[in-house]
Amino acid sequence: MKIYDGRKIIPGILIAAVIFSFPFWLNFGKAAVPPKPKLPKEVKNCVEPTPFMRTSHMELLNKWRNLVVRENFRIFAAPDGKDYAMSLQNGCLKCHASKAEFCDQCHKYLDVKPYCWDCHLAPKENK
Amino acid sequence: MSAQKSILYPLVAVLVLILIPVIGVKLGLSYFFAVVVPYAAFIIFFGGILCKVINWARSPVPFRITTTCGQEKSFDWVKHNKFDNPFTNGQVAVRMALEVLCFRSLFRNLKMELRDGPKLSYGSAKWLWLGALAFHWSFFIILLRHMRFFAQPVPGFVDMLQNVDGFFELGLPQLFVTDAVIVAALTYLFLRRVVVPQLRYISLPSDYFPLFLLFGLVLSGIGMRYFFRVDIVKVKELAMSLVTLKPTVPEGIGALFYVHLFMLSVLFAYFPFSKLTHMAGVFLSPTRNLANNSRYKRHVNPWDYPVKVHTYEEYEEEFREKMKEVGLPVEKE
């Protein structure tokens, strides 16, 4: 089998192969470690069911932000009948005390940068 | 095939393709759709493109068949158009880069019209160029952004792309400009085939099928990001397990993700057998990738074989006596 211009085409194929298999050789021999956000021990339920919180917590926080800042409305009536303070510092962070051990686990894993901390002070971490 | 059928058949095909993973996952075939199908599609994509390229490389291109779009290199006092009529390999590289990155030949697209009776007029037609450029670049950036699912830690360029792409900080999750642009571009590329009568006439199912497939892919992705969210931590776990060759399927990823993955797999597998191979083909277009240097360099046909010739001298040598007998003039006595 004769290939014409092989000196140009074969390196071209190799370069394309390297580019397209980028995720494979980048992770070669590495073990994929899934994130392990540290969950609070004493409380079992969040303000909404876990599957909703896992996928859509940002929507909830955004709604809270608008209600508090624009409407001065501060109490969230959860589906389980309890009332919660719509607040990051006095609500969420009460249970999820550590940003590094909770938020950052998944957010770093997926390279999602929430803009909560543009205004809020991140909690001090004990090292 | 009529225009209606050309649109309807691929539309039905794509709708069926959307239903397959939805039903399949309900039946508990998530391993098949999350592992077997993507791997198979990847192998078909690679193998298929490789076969295509090798097949093209086996055809000799003995002569320079460059499309010339400017002044050829000539006397020193004639201005040479370097990138539209390249003379050296370096100039060819620039021409190819302009072609691949900026679609320069599409930029030259013209429309022809008969005006005021039998007056033929040509005008510039840049919309196709703009639509194509918007689509391809958005698709490329979206593909690069997806690398956040395939690397741990996420490479820095993804972060940069996300910042630029989410520049407007609209909504939550932030709107990516490329998501809006790709939908607009695909809509335009579809509508032009439907609205313009000449294009409708020449459009085939193989033109509409990739468009509908891309619509399915893009809309399922946008749906997952902005409206019907799936658990992307699990999605990344699956993606990482695939690229580390230890496939495991986490429970409870939404069905929409499987639709997205299946659309992508079909697109990948369909690539080498369709007009989408232009991704590889553009690099092997002899009308673009050759230097126009026929006047300076001799290009020998590779399938030339030594031709057995019988010169007049040899002919006369053989028949001299007979020629003399019938009185034919000969050069040597």
Side-chain angles (χ1 to χ4, degrees):
Chain A
M1 188 173 76
K2 170 114 176 88
I3 288 186
Y4 297 91
D5 289 315
R7 246 187 285 168
K8 286 173 196 156
I9 290 172
I10 289 164
I13 291 173
L14 289 178
I15 290 168
V18 167
I19 291 172
F20 276 94
S21 59
F22 158 76
F24 287 97
W25 52 256
L26 193 74
N27 294 297
F28 188 75
K30 280 189 205 163
V33 194
K36 285 201 182 66
K38 195 180 156 199
L39 297 172
K41 289 199 180 85
E42 56 278 15
V43 190
K44 285 281 159 255
N45 301 323
C46 202
V47 296
E48 291 266 4
T50 313
F52 174 84
M53 292 308 287
R54 282 182 74 109
T55 61
S56 305
H57 57 278
M58 56 291 204
E59 222 168 52
L60 184 85
L61 290 175
N62 193 41
K63 215 182 280 167
W64 281 18
R65 193 265 314 262
N66 291 347
L67 281 172
V68 170
V69 176
R70 295 176 192 169
E71 324 262 333
N72 190 24
F73 192 84
R74 290 169 185 276
I75 304 297
F76 176 71
D80 64 0
K82 282 186 203 158
D83 283 351
Y84 293 92
M86 286 198 279
S87 160
L88 190 70
Q89 257 112 345
N90 302 322
C92 310
L93 290 171
K94 278 269 151 61
C95 300
H96 307 292
S98 169
K99 176 172 170 280
E101 283 171 2
F102 185 72
C103 312
D104 289 352
Q105 288 291 317
C106 300
H107 275 262
K108 286 237 169 87
Y109 184 64
L110 281 154
D111 194 32
V112 180
K113 294 219 170 95
Y115 51 70
C116 312
W117 318 106
D118 287 6
C119 306
H120 288 278
L121 285 176
K124 275 187 187 147
E125 305 288 347
N126 300 320
K127 279 179 187 170
Chain B
M1 192 176 273
S2 73
Q4 286 90 343
K5 280 182 187 167
S6 290
I7 300 175
L8 197 65
Y9 288 175
L11 184 65
V12 171
V14 170
L15 291 177
V16 170
L17 287 174
I18 290 172
L19 282 178
I20 289 171
V22 173
I23 295 168
V25 171
K26 282 247 168 71
L27 295 175
L29 295 169
S30 53
Y31 187 84
F32 178 74
F33 285 101
V35 179
V36 180
V37 169
Y39 274 147
F42 197 71
I43 291 165
I44 293 171
F45 173 77
F46 253 118
I49 297 256
L50 195 67
C51 288
K52 280 269 173 186
V53 171
I54 287 174
N55 192 27
W56 290 328
R58 287 176 60 193
S59 324
V61 185
F63 305 119
R64 301 285 145 151
I65 54 170
T66 328
T67 38
T68 57
C69 310
Q71 173 61 48
E72 184 181 0
K73 186 175 163 60
S74 178
F75 294 111
D76 286 341
W77 42 269
V78 177
K79 199 180 170 208
H80 173 210
N81 193 333
K82 287 190 178 113
F83 306 137
D84 288 329
N85 200 332
F87 179 70
T88 64
N89 283 338
Q91 289 164 4
V92 169
V94 175
R95 183 190 210 194
M96 286 302 290
L98 285 170
E99 182 64 35
V100 172
L101 302 174
C102 310
F103 305 171
R104 195 171 162 85
S105 59
L106 211 50
F107 193 71
R108 254 185 227 104
N109 191 27
L110 290 177
K111 69 168 177 240
M112 187 180 74
E113 269 176 9
L114 278 174
R115 267 191 207 172
D116 309 329
K119 265 188 202 162
L120 192 61
S121 55
Y122 294 91
S124 128
K126 302 261 185 273
W127 285 104
L128 176 61
W129 169 79
L130 192 69
L133 203 68
F135 164 72
H136 282 85
W137 274 100
S138 298
F139 196 83
F140 180 58
I141 291 169
I142 290 170
L143 191 76
L144 287 181
R145 276 205 278 102
H146 275 72
M147 287 305 128
R148 75 181 173 130
F149 292 107
F150 295 101
Q152 192 186 350
V154 178
F157 72 87
V158 175
D159 206 40
M160 194 196 73
L161 277 178
Q162 291 192 117
N163 284 339
V164 175
D165 211 344
F167 177 76
F168 292 108
E169 298 201 352
L170 277 175
L172 191 110
Q174 281 172 10
L175 174 80
F176 282 139
V177 176
T178 46
D179 286 354
V181 170
I182 200 168
V183 173
L186 277 174
T187 308
Y188 165 72
L189 291 173
F190 170 66
L191 284 181
R192 66 182 269 278
R193 287 194 182 276
V194 179
V195 173
V196 182
Q198 295 93 321
L199 276 171
R200 192 166 58 223
Y201 183 71
I202 60 164
S203 294
L204 296 170
S206 62
D207 296 312
Y208 290 110
F209 181 70
L211 274 175
F212 293 143
L213 204 57
L214 284 163
F215 262 120
L217 179 69
V218 166
L219 293 181
S220 60
I222 288 175
M224 267 191 292
R225 179 173 167 82
Y226 302 100
F227 306 109
F228 318 100
R229 270 182 283 278
V230 296
D231 192 337
I232 58 168
V233 174
K234 285 178 184 160
V235 170
K236 181 156 181 177
E237 275 172 39
L238 170 66
M240 290 301 291
S241 79
L242 287 180
V243 294
T244 49
L245 305 176
K246 287 163 203 141
T248 44
V249 184
E251 283 292 313
I253 309 178
L256 195 56
F257 168 74
Y258 286 98
V259 172
H260 190 63
L261 188 63
F262 194 65
M263 291 285 107
L264 180 76
S265 302
V266 173
L267 187 74
F268 260 53
Y270 179 66
F271 234 91
F273 311 104
S274 60
K275 63 182 210 166
L276 303 176
T277 17
H278 70 264
M279 185 186 75
V282 67
F283 294 99
L284 281 102
S285 317
T287 53
R288 302 276 148 195
N289 67 11
L290 294 172
N292 184 20
N293 58 5
S294 310
R295 289 184 171 185
Y296 295 80
K297 204 176 148 192
R298 183 160 184 238
H299 299 283
V300 179
N301 192 342
W303 64 72
D304 269 355
Y305 48 88
V307 178
K308 214 178 164 196
V309 288
H310 195 215
T311 62
Y312 180 72
E313 281 171 341
E314 288 162 358
Y315 175 88
E316 203 182 275
E317 213 59 51
E318 196 179 334
F319 297 108
R320 184 167 293 118
E321 296 312 314
K322 285 177 179 147
M323 288 168 82
K324 276 187 196 164
E325 264 174 35
V326 294
L328 282 172
V330 285
E331 287 184 350
K332 266 194 250 169
E333 285 303 325

